[in-house]
Amino acid sequence: MTHESKDKPGQPSISRFRQSIGSRSEFTITFELVPSRGGRNRQTDRTLALARDLAADGRIQAVSITDNAGGHPALSPEVLGLEIMAMGLDVISHFSCKDKNRNEMESQLFGWDRRGLHNLLVISGDYPQQGYRGHPKPVFDLDSVHVTDMLNLMNKGQYLHQPTHATSFFKGVAVSPFKLTEAEQLMQYYKLHRKIAAGADYVITQLGFDARKFHEVLLYMRQHQLNVPLLGSVFIPSLPLVDIMHRGGVPGCVIPDTLHGEMKKEGRDADKGRKARLTRAAKLMAALQAMGYDGAHIGGPGLDMADFDFLLTAMEHYQSRTKEISHELSFWPDGGFYLYRKDRKTGLNLEERKNIGQGYAKLRPVYTVARFVHDTAFDPASPVYNACRQSCLTVHDSFLARPFAAFEHMTKFLLFDCQNCGGCILASLAYLCPQSGCAKYMLNGPCGGSRDGWCEVYPGKKRCIYVKTYERLAAAGGAEHFRSGFGPPRNWQLNNSSAWLNFYLGNDNRGGKRDK
Ligand code: SF4
């Protein structure tokens, strides 16, 4: 809840959530609300009634409100957000990239700033699903790294090179430690570096059930000085949802066979296993607090105040038993990827990392040739760079410009399925084109939806472009440098123009600077 700050009029007072997570002394607890479709219905009334109870209860610091969760159209987060803030409960608004372009984002954000909706969770978002008369256009004009960077500029009052009123957004981002393969997992962590470099203030994990995986991302952030607060997502699925998640029906969410079996057995209880699932969640919250998380982000359909009371009371009860609990909360598929060696004593991780980047297939000729051409023609340090640049600029002003652009597009289309965006970033993605190879046009690393290396949108059919990027970079000597890049957003003014010419003219979004 943010009101006018008494000592700085016109400035919003610090929100309870921000104070709590910033203090890093209080174990911050938040709860996720999922608005339903339509504005006036019993589901919305139930959600508001629960928020009212939570506000009166006072044990949680904020509720988060999703933005068209699962890609399904629903009431926009700011609508419920303002009503819930008026109840005296703080709000985190999810802000996704799937349905709006950068200009709609900007106008929405300046509006939210005026209305005091400052706590955000910036995510790419699940792929859009059925809407009015069919499937909508998947927008993804920006990705979560771009949006975090944009918010950072807004907060500095340096937005678009003109003095704007400095906003005060508190920028949260997501990371998934629950990836089954090395490539998926490391690319998630490398993208986290980019999100934090872009200005993220705190991190919330994807939901999961394995204590050692939760510990892995905490350890990774410590080892790499990614010093922002971390909340762990603790989810209490309903029984039907357990089956859907087990068969991969919820993007990015993994329920392994062992846990599925346990939950199905518990499902035979009189309460269909509800108490057992709440107990497991309470144990996980206690384990997260013991391992050093800054808080827990609770989620799950149909939870009521009685469930909350049970959860938070049980968590206190288990705080004295976290040593054995970490062993108990071991729910990861056999053969699933872990980055660190196991600590047999705690059931969590040792500081020692496993060998990564080994055993990837030999580099494909298309990669080696493309890299050679790129390093020769587009690297200012190359002996022929100036000659290439000069001949290109000469072509630019001649009648050869159009056939030259057509030759470029045709060559790159045959080799890389080029979409002629005019601002080529092939070199930073191991010569894989995100405009054709990624359903969400991600330019700074993977979304959270891949599973077993398969794309969220084409499971079993198309492999995630960032899994392929990792494998190529690993085979070429290492992918770690991916964590320090920034893939600028596509500039649609360059659409259907020569990227080679735009590079030499400094027209593309990198200002003619070479990709690393
Ligand atoms: S290719 Fe990868 S990053 Fe792109 S949508 Fe699919 S899973 Fe997400």
Side-chain angles (χ1 to χ4, degrees), residues 97-98 122-127 140 142-145 174-179 183-189 191-192 195 206 251-252 438-451 454-458 464-467 482:
C97 307
K98 57 180 178 290
V122 179
I123 51 177
S124 311
D126 299 327
Y127 201 69
F140 298 106
L142 301 182
D143 64 29
S144 53
V145 175
V175 66
S176 176
F178 302 103
K179 291 299 174 185
E184 287 172 292
Q185 191 61 79
L186 270 298
M187 285 308 245
Q188 277 287 319
Y189 293 157
K191 186 173 184 181
L192 183 61
K195 291 174 178 176
Q206 170 61 284
C438 175
K440 302 181 183 177
Y441 322 115
M442 297 279 116
L443 298 177
N444 284 286
C447 72
S450 71
R451 187 186 173 102
W454 295 107
C455 170
E456 167 195 325
V457 183
Y458 306 103
C464 170
I465 192 175
Y466 285 96
V467 166
F482 188 87

Side-chain angles (χ1 to χ4, degrees), residues 29-33 50-51 53-54 57 59-60 62-63 236 274 278 285 298-300 302-315:
I29 298 182
T30 59
F31 178 68
E32 184 165 291
L33 294 174
L50 177 59
D53 293 344
L54 290 169
D57 178 273
R59 279 180 290 177
I60 73 164
V63 290
I236 300 106
R274 191 181 184 87
L278 285 166
M285 289 172 71
I298 304 166
L303 294 180
D304 58 23
M305 279 316 289
D307 296 325
F308 268 102
D309 190 48
F310 176 88
L311 199 58
L312 301 183
T313 316
M315 175 193 167

Side-chain angles (χ1 to χ4, degrees), residues 67-73 96-100 124-131 134-140 251 439-441 456-457:
D67 176 9
N68 287 359
H72 304 287
S96 75
C97 307
K98 57 180 178 290
D99 300 316
K100 41 189 179 279
S124 311
D126 299 327
Y127 201 69
Q129 301 299 319
Q130 187 84 5
H135 264 63
K137 175 180 172 44
V139 180
F140 298 106
K440 302 181 183 177
Y441 322 115
E456 167 195 325
V457 183

Side-chain angles (χ1 to χ4, degrees), residues 107 162 265 300 319 360 378 486 515:
S107 39
Q162 57 177 318
K265 215 163 73 233
Q319 276 159 348
Y360 286 98
F378 299 106
F486 176 79
D515 279 317

